[in-house]
Amino acid sequence: MKDADIVGAALAEVLPQTDKYWFQQRHLLKLNLLLLVPLLSSAVSGYDGSLMNGLQSLEQWKSYFGSPTGAKLGVVNAAQSIGSVLSLPFIGNLSDRFGRKPVLLAGILLIIAATIIQSASINFPMFVIARLIVGFGGMFVVQPSPMLIAELAYPTHRGKYTSAFWTMYYLGAILASWTTFGTQDYQSDWSWRIPSILQAGYPIIQLIFFYWVPESPRWLVAQDRAPEAAAILSYYHSGAVTSSEEGHSPLVTRELAEIVSTIQREKAVKNVGWGVLFSTPGNRKRTLIAVCVGAFAQWNGIGVVSYYLTLVLNTIGITDTFTQTLINGLLQIFNFGAALSAAILVDRLGRRTLFLWSGVGMLISYIVWTACSAVNSDTGSRPAGIVVVVCLFTFFFHYDIAYTPLLLGYPTEIFTYTMRSKGIALELMAIYLSLTVQAFVNPIGMDNIGWKYYIVFCCLLAVFLAVTWVLFPETKGHSLEEIAVIFDGPDADEARVDAKVLESEMVHGNASVTHHDEV
């Protein structure tokens, strides 16, 4: 695939030409290995999501906490979402003010502290409080990570790496599901305490390597620390350490020019608060898309399976703990493979294509799932029940090819720098508000109307597909700064002209990255 099809002609013409793979180039190998630290943030979230599925399948956990059902079960599942929502109103400002790295570090430490409380829980309230802290700290881990990845990644790797971010959710889910599968035969409290302890596994790995992760060059430029940004880009994108502009490669010079010019223009507007998300038609469209992606990812029916897998399996006659935990474990491996495949192919297939393919596949899967669930409920047909499990896997496949890799990757791309932190926080708000509502609504719906509850999601999926067709643009073939052209039109073209002028001045020694004047 041509570089111009991935990052656009402007950046492609200055990309170094080499016959070496990225892992044969020391600077790119080091960068991509360090980006695994923020990449693991989604694995932290994935462990949590699958952990509750696994714990609810364990008789030891249910008996220890009084076999919670209905609203009480909803409380323990909603606690994590409530904690997340509580952190989101201010986390966007924190990432912009203090940087991506400090916020990520705070989240890592909070998750480790919450793990200690959860694994040592002696009653239901203590367990719920731990879940609240997990949710609160989880957003400090999740919110800055995709931005740090997108703003640090090598141009031709950005799409794959940002798409791989939420794909790692299933890496956490795999560990959680197979841990609970392995401890199910323990007759003591350790059957659920061991999985709870391992919740700190990924955060500890992040903490060990955190020191070597560089800060976002975009954030450094926004703080008038452009020389530091130049040094990071020069070292990790071209493999050189220089102290002056003359030594920068053409790629780094053009990247710096685009970043500085874009942030200059954004800062000149002066509106860098939450109002920036709604200040122009282009910004309102970006915000609407991000909220839609976040809400669609939860209201397309995924919540029924991901948090209440045991209830779904109960409705088709699969009630024993061994089979339920086995299905959960196999499902997570399947999900990881599907999502990772889509992340690898994202630049070739395109974001819009994946969203539309996903929407059609999920709708068909849910319709068949609903019909077979009805037959199984009315007649007890075992074959119909088996088809439901098959549909569960096909639904997840089509969910995984878009709403896993692009859940945060797509909004991270479409937002400009000054919008990005607050925009991601708003999308996460849409996600976790949806999760909070569904944590209470889903078990009630499943308990009271059974398979008929699936009809609601069939209708929603049809609406979501239509909105996706009308609203979601393609972003491949553009650099991170150039994507603004899709939403802002002529205004973004002016920024590109400014970047060209600044690049020319930098090349001829008439401009410095040590400071930049307000436009």
Side-chain angles (χ1 to χ4, degrees):
M1 188 175 183
K2 295 180 179 179
D3 290 337
D5 295 330
I6 301 175
V7 297
L11 268 185
E13 67 183 15
V14 293
L15 286 172
Q17 299 302 309
T18 177
D19 57 357
K20 294 181 178 180
Y21 293 104
W22 66 265
F23 51 82
Q24 294 175 308
Q25 301 175 66
R26 181 182 176 86
H27 60 288
L28 293 183
L29 176 62
K30 184 174 182 179
L31 174 61
N32 287 334
L33 288 176
L34 288 175
L35 287 179
L36 290 174
V37 174
L39 196 70
L40 281 177
S41 294
S42 58
V44 175
S45 185
Y47 190 96
D48 167 67
S50 189
L51 177 63
M52 288 312 301
N53 273 337
L55 295 184
Q56 290 173 73
S57 298
L58 296 176
E59 291 298 329
Q60 299 91 325
W61 181 85
K62 288 187 286 188
S63 62
Y64 190 91
F65 291 109
S67 299
T69 57
K72 190 175 181 180
L73 181 61
V75 167
V76 71
N77 279 325
Q80 183 264 346
S81 299
I82 293 171
S84 299
V85 170
L86 291 175
S87 70
L88 288 172
F90 55 85
I91 197 170
N93 287 326
L94 291 177
S95 291
D96 281 341
R97 182 176 180 181
F98 298 105
R100 286 34 170 153
K101 280 190 66 179
V103 174
L104 174 57
L105 178 60
I108 292 171
L109 296 176
L110 281 170
I111 293 292
I112 293 174
T115 298
I116 294 172
I117 297 173
Q118 180 175 318
S119 57
S121 293
I122 58 175
N123 52 45
F124 191 73
M126 187 173 177
F127 191 89
V128 171
I129 289 172
R131 303 305 299 163
L132 280 168
I133 300 174
V134 165
F136 189 86
M139 289 304 94
F140 281 73
V141 171
V142 169
Q143 192 267 353
S145 293
M147 298 187 295
L148 190 58
I149 291 169
E151 293 167 2
L152 271 172
Y154 192 71
T156 54
H157 298 169
R158 189 200 74 234
K160 296 180 181 66
Y161 232 113
T162 54
S163 297
F165 172 68
W166 204 246
T167 299
M168 294 298 110
Y169 179 97
Y170 289 119
L171 195 62
I174 289 169
L175 179 60
S177 58
W178 286 102
T179 299
T180 52
F181 180 77
T183 61
Q184 64 179 315
D185 291 332
Y186 291 21
Q187 298 305 310
S188 66
D189 301 344
W190 289 106
S191 63
W192 61 268
R193 293 192 192 275
I194 289 175
S196 295
I197 291 170
L198 290 179
Q199 189 171 241
Y202 290 121
I204 289 174
I205 293 173
Q206 289 180 296
L207 188 61
I208 291 172
F209 297 100
F210 181 83
Y211 173 80
W212 292 278
V213 178
E215 181 56 272
S216 161
R218 271 85 172 174
W219 182 82
L220 291 170
V221 169
Q223 306 304 309
D224 294 319
R225 294 163 59 183
E228 295 174 57
I232 289 172
L233 288 173
S234 183
Y235 181 73
Y236 287 104
H237 286 194
S238 69
V241 179
T242 62
S243 58
S244 64
E245 286 79 7
E246 288 119 359
H248 293 319
S249 69
L251 170 62
V252 172
T253 301
R254 183 157 297 180
E255 285 185 296
L256 273 175
E258 285 190 354
I259 294 168
V260 171
S261 176
T262 300
I263 293 178
Q264 276 184 344
R265 295 183 66 86
E266 292 178 15
K267 291 176 70 174
V269 176
K270 301 298 183 183
N271 182 6
V272 294
W274 285 92
V276 71
L277 297 176
F278 311 97
S279 59
T280 68
N283 289 359
R284 288 191 288 272
K285 183 176 181 179
R286 290 180 176 97
T287 303
L288 177 59
I289 291 173
V291 171
C292 284
V293 171
F296 291 2
Q298 306 309 320
W299 287 103
N300 55 19
I302 192 71
V304 172
V305 178
S306 63
Y307 273 86
Y308 294 96
L309 177 63
T310 55
L311 297 180
V312 173
L313 295 177
N314 286 339
T315 63
I316 61 172
I318 300 176
T319 58
D320 63 288
T321 299
F322 179 86
T323 305
Q324 288 189 351
T325 52
L326 179 61
I327 289 176
N328 187 38
L330 293 173
L331 182 60
Q332 305 314 325
I333 295 175
F334 174 83
N335 288 337
F336 182 64
L340 187 61
S341 299
I344 293 171
L345 296 173
V346 68
D347 287 322
R348 185 174 299 276
L349 297 177
R351 285 68 161 165
R352 177 178 169 84
T353 299
L354 287 174
F355 273 122
L356 292 173
W357 179 7
S358 170
V360 172
M362 286 192 297
L363 178 58
I364 294 173
S365 298
Y366 233 93
I367 290 173
V368 176
W369 179 354
T370 302
C372 290
S373 292
V375 172
N376 176 263
S377 177
D378 293 340
T379 67
S381 170
R382 184 73 176 178
I386 293 173
V387 172
V388 169
V389 176
V390 172
C391 286
L392 184 150
F393 278 81
T394 58
F395 172 83
F396 258 110
F397 171 81
H398 290 97
Y399 178 95
D400 290 332
I401 63 174
Y403 284 97
T404 298
L406 301 177
L407 178 64
L408 291 172
Y410 188 63
T412 298
E413 288 185 332
I414 66 175
F415 283 122
T416 61
Y417 172 79
T418 54
M419 298 178 65
R420 192 167 292 133
S421 183
K422 297 175 182 65
I424 294 300
L426 185 64
E427 186 201 6
L428 289 169
M429 181 74 78
I431 291 171
Y432 284 96
L433 281 174
S434 298
L435 285 173
T436 302
V437 173
Q438 290 192 43
F440 291 103
V441 172
N442 285 343
I444 295 173
M446 292 294 293
D447 287 344
N448 292 332
I449 59 176
W451 66 267
K452 297 181 181 69
Y453 188 53
Y454 302 146
I455 297 175
V456 174
F457 298 107
C458 292
C459 297
L460 289 175
L461 282 166
V463 174
F464 296 167
L465 179 59
V467 173
T468 301
W469 176 267
V470 173
L471 198 61
F472 289 24
E474 183 54 68
T475 60
K476 76 171 183 175
H478 298 275
S479 69
L480 197 57
E481 277 67 39
E482 285 179 339
I483 290 173
V485 175
I486 300 171
F487 295 91
D488 301 325
D491 290 340
D493 283 329
E494 291 179 17
R496 294 172 72 180
V497 172
D498 291 344
K500 286 287 187 181
V501 172
L502 180 58
E503 180 186 359
S504 178
E505 293 175 348
M506 290 169 62
V507 170
H508 293 92
N510 297 324
S512 172
V513 296
T514 58
H515 69 275
H516 50 276
D517 298 326
E518 295 293 339
V519 175

